[in-house]
Amino acid sequence: SLVDWQEQERAASPRFNDYERIRLERVPASRGWDVADWEFRWTASGGRLHVLDRNLRINDRRAYALYWSVPDDQWTQLKPTFDVIAASFRPAS
């Protein structure tokens, strides 16, 4: 998942105006999945956004991305909502 996000960052970051990487790293996963977070800021036409894109590689054939994008000035207030969503995630069966 981390290698995938590194490749995605190289390809996509030039398209994000004022791109600023916050972190790009593996995340411990309790279910044995390969998980990585790509967190960054960029400026869209409506203002500065804060993004967390979580890559969850379930196995060699299945992966998911949880993409969370909010106005930068609301990040601290809204981040707990992402945490609830991420904790409740279950792959399709």
Side-chain angles (χ1 to χ4, degrees), residues 1-83:
S1 62
L2 180 61
V3 171
D4 181 41
W5 265 185
Q6 290 168 334
E7 292 170 2
Q8 295 292 332
E9 181 190 37
R10 277 191 289 282
S13 62
R15 295 190 305 259
F16 293 116
N17 189 36
D18 296 326
Y19 173 80
E20 172 195 354
R21 180 204 285 185
I22 297 171
R23 64 190 178 94
L24 185 56
E25 63 190 14
R26 288 195 189 284
V27 175
S30 61
R31 298 179 183 114
W33 301 334
D34 178 16
V35 180
D37 280 355
W38 176 18
E39 185 177 351
F40 60 95
R41 290 184 186 97
W42 73 288
T43 303
S45 60
R48 192 86 173 142
L49 296 175
H50 193 138
V51 175
L52 176 55
D53 205 353
R54 178 161 292 169
N55 187 341
L56 303 116
R57 185 173 170 271
I58 308 307
N59 58 40
D60 288 342
R61 294 173 298 160
R62 290 185 16 193
Y64 298 86
L66 302 178
Y67 185 88
W68 185 255
S69 175
V70 298
D72 191 39
D73 62 356
Q74 296 178 31
W75 178 259
T76 302
Q77 173 190 353
L78 296 174
K79 173 65 167 53
T81 304
F82 174 86
D83 295 336

